Amino acid sequence: MTQYSGTQHSGAIMSVTGVTRRFQRGAETVLALDNVSLELYPGELAVAAGPSGSGKTTLLSLLAGTEAADSGQVTPLPPLPTGVSPGELGWPYLAFVPQALALLDEFTVAENVSLPAALNPAAASGTPSTEELLERLEIGHLAGRYPSLTSGGEQQRTAVARALRLRPPLLLGDEPTGHQDRARVALVLSVLRLHAYHGSAVLISSHDPEVISAADRVITLADGRIVADERAGTPASQPAPASQQA
Ligand SMILES: Nc1ncnc2c1ncn2[C@@H]1O[C@H](COP(=O)(O)OP(=O)(O)OP(=O)(O)O)[C@@H](O)[C@H]1O
């Protein structure tokens, strides 16, 4: 990998500038993110790595707009709508797989995956069908089941399928392979890689060496700071080997 000076490149889809996020724990102030800057690019499968507590979830939550920064900016750039905050973008533009998954238990697996399309019918044309995504993620047989009656790994793949439903230009995932067995880690990675290959920016967090080694770019955090931002030699625009594609 080579050192990646991401902030120098044009064509970014999301820009993070000098972002700091503190949490108060009693008398103690925890600096979860400390003056972090980076840019995300279409066509790139990036992984946020780093030890537990290094700030990965906080970074993803700020990018997804589910948390606000104390200072600094998170700025959507074209083809995302501009002049809005990340939290206003919605499924057609930004899909997030949070660690808690946020599946709706009163809806079936298929209904959960269809939700972004049901809420944004105009954005659904030309996007993969719910059935196709369920098959690709090997949960087609669970379409009519409620998420609470499926395994943790199956629920996680449901949340990944939901995130892909409108083929968003930006997909974020907080350890989206964390509940998968080895074969399904490779499956989820191949699906995310294909999504990046089609031109989207993908950023996921992971501790898993297999996930980290499959990334186009590895952003390593420690104590709320980016300590390395490296790109693999292989351009993100090259497709994954056919054997890895779903
Ligand atoms: N709501 C909160 N209140 C207090 N401290 C928090 C809160 N959320 C995160 N932190 C602290 O901020 C720091 C960064 O946490 P974060 O969850 O972003 O790390 P992480 O790298 O995602 O960890 P993990 O790999 O264990 O999920 C940690 O010290 C954590 O304890």
Side-chain angles (χ1 to χ4, degrees), residues 140-186:
H141 58 297
L142 303 173
R145 215 183 273 187
Y146 290 101
S148 60
L149 303 177
T150 68
S151 75
E154 290 161 348
Q155 290 178 34
Q156 195 170 45
R157 299 207 299 286
T158 301
V160 171
R162 179 185 57 185
L164 291 160
R165 181 62 182 82
L166 294 181
R167 202 176 268 160
L170 177 58
L171 191 153
L172 305 169
D174 195 357
E175 305 206 31
T177 60
H179 300 307
Q180 306 303 322
D181 59 35
R182 293 327 304 171
R184 266 56 174 266
V185 168

Side-chain angles (χ1 to χ4, degrees), residues 2-86:
T2 50
Q3 193 66 29
Y4 178 49
S5 56
T7 52
Q8 304 304 310
H9 291 238
S10 60
I13 192 170
M14 187 75 110
S15 164
V16 176
T17 313
V19 158
T20 294
R21 176 72 167 112
R22 295 180 191 84
F23 291 107
Q24 205 60 40
R25 251 189 329 228
E28 185 196 2
T29 301
V30 179
L31 203 47
L33 286 181
D34 181 7
N35 193 24
V36 163
S37 297
L38 61 88
E39 291 181 337
L40 298 179
Y41 294 92
E44 192 164 72
L45 172 59
V47 172
S52 182
S54 57
K56 303 181 298 295
T57 293
T58 307
L59 175 62
L60 283 159
S61 304
L62 288 167
L63 282 162
T66 59
E67 292 247 8
D70 292 310
S71 56
Q73 249 121 48
V74 181
T75 311
L77 300 166
L80 300 179
T82 55
V84 298
S85 64

Side-chain angles (χ1 to χ4, degrees), residues 77-97:
L77 300 166
L80 300 179
T82 55
V84 298
S85 64
E88 295 173 279
L89 289 172
W91 291 109
Y93 297 103
L94 189 164
F96 184 34
V97 182

Side-chain angles (χ1 to χ4, degrees), residues 117-135:
L119 294 173
N120 304 274
S125 110
T127 59
S129 69
T130 294
E131 294 69 30
E132 190 182 336
L133 288 166
L134 293 177
E135 287 307 320

